[in-house]
Amino acid sequence: MDILIINGPNLNLLGRRERSIYGDRSFEDYLKELKALYPNDTISYFQSNHEGAIIDQIHAVGFEIDGIVINAGAYTHTSLAIADAISAISCPVVEVHISNVHKRETVRHHSYLSPVCTGVIAGFGLDSYRLGVEALKQII
Ligand code: DQA
């Protein structure tokens, strides 16, 4: 299977950013472990702090690969444009969050992406990404 993980804004700072919420591990470090769990699958990674770049990436792969795991960061709560990009493509998309957004500020409870994603995983730390990959493998 060919899967792309997309991380949105500020997630390049994982390991250094608000460690009490997001942990002390960089995503690059975690990704090595995740890839090792799935030696027969291709797991690629894209991160951007820019909404348009995330949309371009969704367009670039969304008709070609088997699935996307996306943590759009704060764009989750603001971006109708990323939601439209997800609606436009043909592969399944799983929305993930490191933190349990529903336990946090009210502004984080609403997601523009959830209604257009296959499903949502939130609150399991970095393991949310592995659970997202597992979910894709179940439905593809
Ligand atoms: C996040 C939750 C968002 O509310 C926040 O803006 C993030 C990270 C998470 O993974 O828990 O940047 O998506």
Side-chain angles (χ1 to χ4, degrees):
M1 275 189 22
D2 195 358
I3 292 172
L4 175 67
I5 297 174
I6 297 178
N7 268 345
N10 302 305
L11 293 166
N12 54 312
L13 295 182
L14 284 177
R16 290 189 285 162
R17 165 197 190 200
E18 295 180 278
R19 289 184 186 146
S20 60
I21 300 174
Y22 300 114
D24 54 12
R25 198 166 179 193
S26 73
F27 194 78
E28 287 70 16
D29 183 45
Y30 171 73
L31 188 59
K32 280 184 211 147
E33 183 184 309
L34 185 65
K35 284 183 173 182
L37 290 175
Y38 300 99
N40 300 322
D41 299 305
T42 302
I43 300 181
S44 315
Y45 177 55
F46 176 82
Q47 189 277 330
S48 178
N49 295 319
H50 304 278
E51 188 174 24
I54 293 168
I55 293 166
D56 286 343
Q57 188 65 24
I58 292 170
H59 294 176
V61 303
F63 296 93
E64 313 295 335
I65 64 173
D66 297 306
I68 295 174
V69 173
I70 187 166
N71 182 350
Y75 285 143
T76 304
H77 317 299
T78 63
S79 183
L80 181 59
I82 293 177
D84 281 351
I86 293 171
S87 291
I89 60 170
S90 56
C91 76
V93 179
V94 176
E95 174 184 348
V96 303
H97 299 284
I98 297 163
S99 64
N100 180 351
V101 284
H102 298 287
K103 267 190 183 172
R104 300 181 63 193
E105 309 96 300
T106 317
V107 70
R108 297 183 202 274
H109 297 180
H110 177 261
S111 166
Y112 277 92
L113 310 191
S114 301
V116 296
C117 285
T118 305
V120 184
I121 295 164
F124 297 96
L126 289 174
D127 202 37
S128 291
Y129 293 90
R130 181 190 63 80
L131 293 168
V133 170
E134 279 297 323
L136 279 177
K137 287 174 76 73
Q138 294 302 316
I139 60 169
I140 291 168

